[in-house]
Amino acid sequence: MKLHEYQSKALFAEHGIPIPRGRVASTSAEAKSIAQELGSRVVVKAQVLVGGRGKAGGVRLASSPDEAEDLATQILRMRIKDLPVRKVLVDEAVEPVTEIYLGVTNDRSANCPVIISSSEGGIEIEEVARKEPEKIVKIFVNPHLGLQEFQARNLVSAIELPRAHWRDFIRIARGLYDAYRATDATLAEINPLVITKDNRLLALDGKVVLDDNALFRHPNLEEMRDLDEEDPAEREARKYGLSYVKLDGDIGCMVNGAGLAMASMDVIKISGGEPANFLDIGGGASAEKVAAGMRIIIADPNVKVVLINVFGGITRCDEVARGILSALEEEKPDVPLIVRLVGTNEEEGQRLLSRANLITVSSLHQAAELAVATAKEKSAG
Ligand code: GDP
Ligand code: MN
């Protein structure tokens, strides 16, 4: 789950990180009154859960409350990377002299949190990482010890931060690390962390991604979830307890068990195709869940064919077959469905499916080859 910038910054402030004064608004009139309250030039910022708002025109400076109102009207009408803007953050504008990057995430190969920083922060950080990787500094943190003083010092000196800012920067790095740990985040990022013209360090932008599997420990954070801003397919999947990840290919996949789902995607790829999604309907999946899964898959316009691979262990094949049938009744998909259904109650499942307009096969290999061939045929035609 991603937090909005205004939510991330509020979290940062709780951990002692300085942020600009400001508030979030849902209407342009509100934006105007916040600008009046702040009594300074302001920056009006689209609150959407994707990066690159600045480049998309979603971050604009206003020199008066009227201008803030105008800009808010414009920004609230925007869609950024296909997400609607429903809120804007109105912050006091500052004059950044230096833009620094500071982030914490998990390093899966090092098996520990890593603090990443660069003197070349701002909207081109991805470019910096690609072209000048030496400008990106990493400090691995032992989770039992936390960020050590010497490590923090190594970090500030590696990014060549002027000495006058060391103390504040180290306090901010600690605060960010604490915020990351306290919320079970998978990412906590300030980009840019700026040195202002009047020599203050301020977190100008914030991004926090929380670990969904740990959210049960943080009911207060769960409440911050912005349903409007989530991908409808992922929201629907969560509602039914399905694990769904959208991918770029054209072969929809519905599989029971994460391992089998991964294996199915591998076999599709080996057969020369590209999966459109990962979808695990789980063990003991009910007909209702299967129907929801089917709906989600065929709602993706890229999907040209659906491969259903079910190994009935706890999940009974007849139950899955009923789910597929009810989904077919409701949705009437116009893409071919290829089904491999084996295991518990297989005969009953097959018998139920024989009434429907499906292609049943007996091995995953066969299913994948056929799915790939079908997808290719449809792209050619
Ligand atoms: P992002 O593009 O979604 O990452 O949005 P940011 O909040 O990081 O803003 C993008 C850029 O806008 C920053 O890197 C700054 O250069 C600029 N910016 C943001 N806030 C201010 C501000 O208060 N004053 C000025 N002058 N520039 C700002
Ligand atoms: Mn940013």
Side-chain angles (χ1 to χ4, degrees):
M1 170 183 157
K2 293 176 185 166
L3 296 186
H4 278 296
E5 177 191 9
Y6 75 95
Q7 296 166 328
S8 304
K9 280 164 145 175
L11 175 69
F12 293 167
E14 282 173 30
H15 291 271
I17 298 171
I19 57 169
R21 293 182 302 133
R23 269 194 303 126
V24 72
S26 320
T27 65
S28 50
E30 257 181 276
K32 181 179 178 177
S33 81
I34 296 169
Q36 270 159 347
E37 269 171 49
L38 291 171
S40 64
R41 292 180 66 211
V42 295
V43 55
V44 184
K45 311 179 77 176
Q47 299 297 288
V48 277
L49 296 173
V50 285
R53 297 165 307 163
K55 283 186 179 168
V59 177
R60 309 275 299 272
L61 289 163
S63 10
S64 69
D66 284 330
E67 195 183 352
E69 184 179 24
D70 272 357
L71 291 175
T73 308
Q74 290 174 35
I75 294 174
L76 286 166
R77 280 197 200 122
M78 287 174 70
R79 288 182 83 88
I80 298 180
K81 296 188 184 158
D82 222 35
L83 288 174
V85 181
R86 298 230 158 84
K87 291 191 176 103
V88 289
L89 175 64
V90 183
D91 267 357
E92 62 172 324
V94 297
E95 287 188 60
V97 179
T98 308
E99 301 200 358
I100 298 162
Y101 175 93
L102 181 64
V104 189
T105 187
N106 265 328
D107 187 307
R108 285 174 186 262
S109 20
N111 287 320
C112 65
V114 58
I115 299 185
I116 303 169
S117 190
S118 174
S119 55
E120 313 289 313
I123 57 181
E124 303 289 351
I125 189 71
E126 281 83 7
E127 282 292 292
V128 176
R130 208 163 21 241
K131 291 189 182 146
E132 302 167 284
E134 71 284 355
K135 296 227 165 115
I136 311 267
V137 181
K138 291 184 180 179
I139 298 277
F140 295 100
V141 182
N142 180 323
H144 301 294
L145 301 176
L147 176 62
Q148 304 278 301
E149 186 65 26
F150 76 93
Q151 292 184 305
R153 288 176 166 268
N154 284 346
L155 187 64
V156 280
S157 91
I159 63 164
E160 295 174 0
L161 189 76
R163 233 167 225 280
H165 298 295
W166 281 25
R167 263 188 57 191
D168 285 344
F169 182 92
I170 290 173
R171 195 177 303 142
I172 291 170
R174 283 192 193 296
L176 190 65
Y177 180 75
D178 290 345
Y180 168 86
R181 294 281 296 179
T183 55
D184 289 312
T186 55
L187 174 74
E189 178 183 277
I190 306 174
N191 186 35
L193 171 66
V194 299
I195 304 177
T196 62
K197 211 172 165 192
D198 54 355
N199 265 314
R200 291 183 295 157
L201 272 174
L202 274 182
L204 231 55
D205 187 15
K207 179 173 176 186
V208 173
V209 182
L210 302 170
D211 182 347
D212 283 329
N213 294 315
L215 267 181
F216 72 97
R217 307 208 291 193
H218 308 283
N220 55 325
L221 296 172
E222 169 96 65
E223 273 173 25
M224 291 184 173
R225 194 190 285 281
D226 185 345
L227 293 174
D228 287 344
E229 290 285 334
E230 289 198 323
D231 178 47
E234 287 180 13
R235 182 170 60 210
E236 181 82 355
R238 198 179 45 249
K239 194 166 108 194
Y240 288 93
L242 303 164
S243 311
Y244 172 85
V245 181
K246 166 136 175 52
L247 301 167
D248 295 330
D250 52 11
I251 301 176
C253 305
M254 181 153 80
V255 188
N256 67 323
L260 191 60
M262 302 281 267
S264 306
M265 288 161 51
D266 283 349
V267 176
I268 289 173
K269 284 188 169 245
I270 290 168
S271 310
E274 287 295 329
N277 67 280
F278 167 94
L279 176 64
D280 171 14
I281 55 174
S286 64
E288 195 194 11
K289 261 185 158 178
V290 175
M294 180 64 73
R295 252 194 331 268
I296 293 166
I297 292 175
I298 61 178
D300 174 355
N302 292 340
V303 169
K304 297 202 178 78
V305 50
V306 180
L307 189 162
I308 303 169
N309 183 22
V310 171
F311 180 81
I314 302 169
T315 308
R316 291 177 2 239
C317 292
D318 58 313
E319 182 80 10
V320 173
R322 282 195 191 87
I324 295 171
L325 291 177
S326 77
L328 291 186
E329 264 165 41
E330 272 174 54
E331 306 298 326
K332 312 227 180 337
D334 53 4
V335 295
L337 308 182
I338 298 167
V339 189
R340 178 217 177 212
L341 195 60
V342 293
T344 311
N345 281 11
E346 172 180 333
E347 296 76 14
E348 176 67 4
Q350 300 283 7
R351 194 186 60 75
L352 286 166
L353 289 186
S354 63
R355 294 193 268 123
N357 190 13
L358 299 163
I359 307 155
T360 47
V361 295
S362 50
S363 80
L364 172 56
H365 184 68
Q366 246 182 317
E369 300 251 283
L370 190 55
V372 172
T374 311
K376 290 219 163 110
E377 209 171 281
K378 289 184 99 190
S379 336

